[in-house]
Every structure is written in C-alpha cells, then in structure tokens.
Amino acid sequence: MSKFWSDVVHKLTPYVPGEQPKIQNLIKLNTNENPYGPSPKVIAALQAEAADTLRLYPDPNSDKLKTAIAEYHGLQANQVFVGNGSDEVLAHIFQALLKQSRPLLFPDITYSFYPVYCGLYDIEYDAIPLNSSFEIDVNDYDRPNGGIIFPNPNAPTGVPLALTEVEKLLKINTESVVVIDEAYVDFGTESAVKLINTYSNLLVTQTLSKARSLAGLRVGYALGHKDLIEALIRVKDSFNSYPIDRFAEAGAIAAMQDKAYFEETRQKVIASRGALIKGLQTLGFEVLPSGANFIFAKHKIKDGAELTALLRQKNIIVRHFKTPSRIAPYVRITIGTDAQSKTLISTLSELLSDQ
Ligand SMILES: Cc1ncc(COP(=O)(O)O)c(C=O)c1O
C-alpha cells in the first residue's frame, strides 16, 4: 500500500490466476490448458515469423487474423474483434458495453474475473444464483439490467447450457447486450455463434488458449454485430494499438486454418474426459455434467480443500475455490492425457484408502 496509489487501486481486488509452478514434472491439472501442444503448422508459422520484420510494428487492425476467424465461423471480418487473450477482450467488453445505468447480471458461481472487471470499471452488478443443480435458469435473468454475461459451458462448474435456452434468453432480453463467454465451447457445448446474424445484441467470445492449445500465445476474440465490434475497437484504440503481435497473428491464423489438428485434439480430450469421470465415480466422486476440458467433482467424504492439498503433496495440481461456500466441497480438474488421468486415479485411490 502507498499514499501514491489512486483511489481505484486502493479499492481493487485483483483476480488470482491458478498457479504456474516453477518446478518441472508436476501433473498440472489446474488451469485448463490443453495437454497436447499446438498444431505443427502453428509452430512452423511462428518460426517463419522470427525474422527481420520483427523490427516493424504489427498490423494494428490484425486484418488477416480477423479474416481467418471470420472464415472459420462463416461471418464477415467486421463482425470480429481480436485481443491479447479473451481476458483482454472481456475487459474491453465490460468497459465498452456492460457499464450502464442498470446493474450487469451474471451467475453467483461463474468466472471469477467478472466481478474483478466490475471493480476496475466501477460497474454495478447482481449475482444471480445458479439452481440447485448448478444450472443457469434463463428465466431468472428476466429483469431490468445493463447487460448479461456468463460462460457457456459455465466455469468453474463445466455445466453447459443448451442453445435453445440461450436463444430463449435472447428473446426475453432485447434491450441490453448478452455476452456468452465460450472459452471452453469446443469441448462439447453448443455454440451461440449461429445466432449472431439474428440477434444484434449478442456477443460471443472465444479463445485460442484451450481447444487450440495456445494459452501461451494470448489470442482471444469476440464475434457479434459490427456496431458492437466498433465499440470494442474504439476502446482498444484508446488503450493499446498493437495488442496482437506478429507472432500471435501468424500463429493464430495457422491455428484457425488447421481444422484437422483441432478436431483430432479436441476429440481426444473429450474421450479422456469420459474415462476420467468414470474413474472418479468409481472412487466415490460425484461429478457435474461437463461440456468443458475440465470437470467439477466432489468426494462423498473428503473435502475439496483437503483433497487439493493431498494431491499437491503427490505432485498433482488441481484447483480449489473456497467461495461461495456451495462450491467449497468441489475440486476442479483439468482433463490431461490418459496417462495423467491414470496417475491421478491411482493416486486418489491410494489417498482415499489411507484414511
Ligand atoms: C470462462 C473463461 N473465460 C475466459 C478465460 C480467459 O482465457 P484467455 O485469456 O486465455 O483467452 C478463461 C480462462 O481460464 C475462462 O475460464
């Protein structure tokens, strides 16, 4: 703390990301990274970019990347906004579109960065409780609001919401922006991208950090009506002209274009998820339905914090959330390789039989 801090800084409660350990050989199942590396075509594109041209600034508008993303999704390039990870894209969305005179709505259990952005931009919000099955009931959002945002599948639960429900919400809520954060959508959740040309207040965000194995490259994007995109461009151009560097643009284009590799790795993760869920259930875990590359599980006896600590002693990192208290019994486990799942299950089996 310092007297030189602004009032805003004094009031901030920053987001705390999952641990990125400095030691090797840990089984790292705590930040929902992909266990498989990026496409070899991405690596080749990055290597080609390591050239004399790095002395030049990148394209401030990332036009080629926007075109590649638009082509992938069957949209126009002016319906695409790109940023330094979807976290940056979300930050601009909060400032450009969700700061209104009425409160923003999001679930009580959701991506914990949302209340942090509200603190940063001084946005009033109401947290709407998930139902007893940890699902979003869209009828609960039928009230005056300055915007609605939630991840689909939700985080940290992994529970997906059917596209019919998303569309129901868009029919109910026509007077404010609805943001669907689809960071994990490619692992088996229905995307709302196909509704973009019908609902001009719909904004969908996606990231290359998860299904495209590029958490280290930092590229995310938003898709929506061109007027919503223009608002984001106005904020971006008042903040940082070059959020996408030359490597990020080249690598991200190659990733969007290599559909075969994307398909292969995401299917592997989906298959491993099914096997891991079965293994955990055999050990007495209750696992929430997941449309993501992670699962949210609670043991019939052992508490989430204790399990997380015990696994850490065995060099396996999973994530635990203390609040709200309803999720404290759970652990969030990222889907790793089959070999990692096997080690996790055998370690848990030992830990649970030791008691
Ligand atoms: C729900 C959700 N949205 C967005 C993000 C941000 O991802 P990135 O900034 O890597 O694109 C994450 C990261 O874990 C997330 O869980």
Side-chain angles (χ1 to χ4, degrees), residues 15 30-33 83-90 110-114 117 150-156 181-184 205-210 214-216 218-221 293-294 319 332:
Y15 175 74
N30 66 330
T31 48
N32 302 337
E33 288 137 335
N84 184 260
S86 57
D87 278 342
E88 186 187 77
V89 175
L90 287 166
T110 196
Y111 186 33
S112 45
F113 225 134
Y114 300 161
Y117 294 131
F150 56 81
N152 194 25
N154 197 9
D181 173 351
E182 294 192 339
Y184 302 101
T205 60
Q206 293 198 1
T207 177
L208 276 75
S209 299
K210 314 293 180 181
L214 286 171
R218 311 304 302 128
V219 181
Y221 54 89
N293 68 336
F294 58 86
R319 188 116 189 239
R332 193 193 69 187

Side-chain angles (χ1 to χ4, degrees), residues 215-228:
L217 200 67
R218 311 304 302 128
V219 181
Y221 54 89
L223 307 169
H225 191 280
K226 66 176 178 39
D227 294 349
L228 300 184

Side-chain angles (χ1 to χ4, degrees), residues 116-351:
V116 174
Y117 294 131
C118 289
L120 178 61
Y121 295 122
D122 197 18
I123 298 170
E124 196 195 330
Y125 69 89
D126 283 338
I128 311 285
L130 296 178
N131 71 17
S132 58
S133 308
F134 292 97
E135 292 159 343
I136 290 167
D137 181 342
V138 296
N139 296 310
D140 295 340
Y141 291 76
D142 187 6
R143 58 172 89 175
N145 65 74
I148 297 172
I149 183 166
F150 56 81
N152 194 25
N154 197 9
T157 61
V159 176
L161 182 69
L163 189 60
T164 47
E165 292 300 301
V166 174
E167 184 154 24
K168 193 160 133 194
L169 175 66
L170 287 159
K171 288 203 165 111
I172 298 172
N173 192 83
T174 54
E175 299 307 307
S176 71
V177 172
V178 175
V179 183
I180 312 291
D181 173 351
E182 294 192 339
Y184 302 101
V185 77
D186 296 311
F187 300 105
T189 297
E190 293 174 283
S191 172
V193 169
K194 56 171 84 72
L195 303 179
I196 282 173
N197 285 331
T198 314
Y199 298 93
S200 60
N201 62 331
L202 169 64
L203 203 56
V204 175
T205 60
Q206 293 198 1
T207 177
L208 276 75
S209 299
K210 314 293 180 181
R212 289 187 177 78
S213 311
L214 286 171
L217 200 67
R218 311 304 302 128
V219 181
Y221 54 89
L223 307 169
H225 191 280
K226 66 176 178 39
D227 294 349
L228 300 184
I229 300 300
E230 189 187 332
L232 302 180
I233 294 170
R234 288 173 70 101
V235 168
K236 173 243 166 201
D237 285 336
S238 309
F239 177 81
N240 178 5
S241 305
Y242 309 104
I244 305 288
D245 64 52
R246 285 177 173 271
F247 286 109
E249 180 159 35
I253 291 170
M256 295 310 297
Q257 290 175 343
D258 193 348
K259 289 188 195 166
Y261 186 86
F262 162 75
E263 203 48 49
E264 185 191 318
T265 45
R266 84 184 178 103
Q267 292 303 346
K268 275 206 272 194
V269 172
I270 292 171
S272 302
R273 180 179 67 208
L276 180 65
I277 291 174
K278 281 205 190 98
L280 289 170
Q281 285 168 335
T282 313
L283 293 176
F285 280 88
E286 194 185 294
V287 186
L288 296 186
S290 172
N293 68 336
F294 58 86
I295 48 110
F296 211 49
K298 119 175 139 171
H299 190 255
K300 58 179 188 243
I301 300 166
K302 280 256 168 276
D303 167 72
E306 194 184 350
L307 270 175
T308 305
L310 288 169
L311 284 170
R312 183 65 219 228
Q313 285 166 12
K314 302 281 182 188
N315 293 335
I316 299 177
I317 325 186
V318 297
R319 188 116 189 239
H320 178 250
F321 297 87
K322 284 195 283 269
T323 52
S325 58
R326 195 149 64 114
I327 60 170
Y330 288 80
V331 284
R332 193 193 69 187
I333 307 173
T334 302
I335 309 303
T337 60
D338 285 337
Q340 289 175 325
S341 293
K342 226 169 131 189
T343 309
L344 173 68
I345 293 292
S346 62
T347 308
L348 278 171
S349 160
E350 269 169 44
L351 290 172

